[in-house]
Amino acid sequence: MIAVLDRTASLGIATELGEVFAAAFAGEEHSDATHFATDQLPTHAGRDDFRLVAARDESVLGFAYGVTGWPGQWWSDRIAAAIPAELAAEWIGGHFEVVELAVIPEAQGRGLGAALMTALMDGLPHRKALLTTYVDDRAAPRLYRRLGWQVLVPDLGWGSALYGLDTGVLHGE
């Protein structure tokens, strides 16, 4: 049910992934399916260590993807500017950046998000992983905490919290 897709396969279903993205984030300002499929996903697919996992039955129910983050990239630089320098030095650069987790509303609440995140993180060589999510108490932040992610910065100043995962801890290092 969950498959790891390479760049080519991911871009081959970009329109379908965009529809899942738009459905999952309906009503939020960044929920444009076309922008996701033609700009966001292709940009990230060209980055180091792009990895996408998708859950499908007759159609895609959800997906998660990430890339290796480096200084000089928009997201890494934005986060580095918003957090203490020592935290940035410890976490930013060569980290795995979880870019998106999206599950269609009809499939939410059944453990699919957790399964996608577990599959996405499985076997990654990165020592650290980062993501941003909502500051308020809703399903996504609760999911990440259940999966072992720590709140590094509870509010970055634009309604997002920064979460980190020391993947070495997951692998008994």
Side-chain angles (χ1 to χ4, degrees), residues 34-84:
T34 302
H35 172 76
F36 177 86
T38 62
D39 185 31
Q40 180 179 325
L41 184 65
T43 296
H44 290 134
R47 295 213 174 133
D48 292 345
D49 304 312
F50 172 82
R51 179 181 179 127
L52 185 140
V53 295
R56 160 187 302 278
D57 56 19
E58 295 89 41
S59 61
V60 176
L61 301 174
F63 68 90
Y65 80 90
V67 298
T68 298
W70 298 104
Q73 294 173 340
W74 178 83
W75 189 86
S76 293
D77 288 352
R78 185 173 191 209
I79 298 303
I83 65 177

Side-chain angles (χ1 to χ4, degrees), residues 77-103:
D77 288 352
R78 185 173 191 209
I79 298 303
I83 65 177
E86 55 279 352
L87 191 62
E90 179 182 353
W91 285 88
I92 295 177
H95 62 280
F96 187 73
E97 177 182 315
V98 176
V99 179
E100 296 293 352
L101 169 63
V103 176

Side-chain angles (χ1 to χ4, degrees), residues 5-167:
L5 305 179
D6 64 15
R7 287 178 173 94
T8 302
S10 297
L11 293 174
I13 62 166
T15 299
E16 189 175 6
L17 294 172
E19 292 166 1
V20 170
F21 178 80
F25 294 105
E28 295 189 25
E29 90 179 47
H30 72 285
S31 65
D32 183 306
T34 302
H35 172 76
F36 177 86
T38 62
D39 185 31
Q40 180 179 325
L41 184 65
T43 296
H44 290 134
R47 295 213 174 133
D48 292 345
D49 304 312
F50 172 82
R51 179 181 179 127
L52 185 140
V53 295
R56 160 187 302 278
D57 56 19
E58 295 89 41
S59 61
V60 176
L61 301 174
F63 68 90
Y65 80 90
V67 298
T68 298
W70 298 104
Q73 294 173 340
W74 178 83
W75 189 86
S76 293
D77 288 352
R78 185 173 191 209
I79 298 303
I83 65 177
E86 55 279 352
L87 191 62
E90 179 182 353
W91 285 88
I92 295 177
H95 62 280
F96 187 73
E97 177 182 315
V98 176
V99 179
E100 296 293 352
L101 169 63
V103 176
I104 61 170
E106 300 80 15
Q108 292 176 7
R110 295 191 268 164
L112 192 54
L116 285 164
M117 284 299 294
T118 300
L120 181 65
M121 302 305 294
D122 186 44
L124 286 177
H126 305 76
R127 175 74 184 178
K128 304 280 186 179
L130 292 170
L131 62 82
T132 52
T133 191
Y134 307 104
V135 296
D136 55 350
D137 185 35
R138 47 175 113 175
R142 289 191 301 268
L143 167 67
Y144 299 130
R145 289 191 301 269
R146 275 195 317 274
L147 294 175
W149 292 77
Q150 307 170 355
V151 177
L152 299 177
V153 179
D155 190 343
L156 293 163
W158 57 82
S160 293
L162 179 66
Y163 281 61
L165 181 69
D166 182 337
T167 60

